[in-house]
Amino acid sequence: MTIHTPQTEQPGHGLTVADAMDLCDYQIAHDSTVDQANDILRGAGVEYLLVRDHDGRCEGLVTRTGLHPFLARSWYTERTAIGATAHQRGPFAWPTMGLALAAIAMRVKHLALWPVVDEDGYILGVLSADRATGLLSPGLLATASAS
C-alpha cells in the first residue's frame, strides 16, 4: 500500500492574468492627438492610457514618457495622432493566460505594464509587472523560466 501525502501548492500556482489585472479607467482613441492624451494624463494624474482603434479594440498603451518627444514641439502635439506615435503595441495578454508565463513574458519584453484583452481584442484591463511578481514566489518564476 502506497500512501500519497498531499503536495502543498506553490504560491502563485494556478493564478491567471485575470487574478492580477487591474481595470483601466483611462483610454483614448488612436486618432486623438498627443495634446489630448497629454491633457488626460495630466488631468487624471495617471502615467499611461490604453489606446483603442476605431472599433474599440485595444491598439496598445501610451505613456507620458513615450509622449515626451512630441511634447517638446507644440505644433506636433496639435497634429500628431496617438496612433502615429511609438507606443507599446500587441500582442497582448489574455485573462486566462497563466500569471507565471505572463510575468516571464513581461520580463523578457521589458514591460512594466501589459494590456489585457478578450478573445475579440477588446480591453479588459492592464497587468503590472510589480503586481504579477508580487503574487508569485521568486522560486516559481525561476522554475517556469527554466522550462
Side-chain angles (χ1 to χ4, degrees), residues 72-132:
R73 299 182 221 173
S74 63
W75 65 273
Y76 267 37
T77 65
E78 296 170 3
R79 297 189 179 122
T80 304
I82 292 299
T85 65
H87 60 276
Q88 177 188 330
R89 298 180 189 266
F92 306 115
W94 58 95
T96 57
M97 179 182 213
L99 187 57
L101 178 61
I104 292 165
M106 291 179 78
R107 187 173 62 215
V108 168
K109 294 178 167 193
H110 305 286
L111 300 176
L113 298 164
W114 201 11
V116 180
V117 299
D118 67 13
E119 59 275 355
D120 295 319
Y122 292 102
I123 299 167
L124 296 174
V126 66
L127 177 65
S128 75
D130 290 342
R131 174 105 188 232

Side-chain angles (χ1 to χ4, degrees), residues 4 24 54 107 141:
H4 295 282
C24 182
H54 65 279
R107 187 173 62 215
L141 281 177

Side-chain angles (χ1 to χ4, degrees), residues 1-7:
M1 173 191 257
T2 306
I3 298 174
H4 295 282
T5 57
Q7 299 206 2

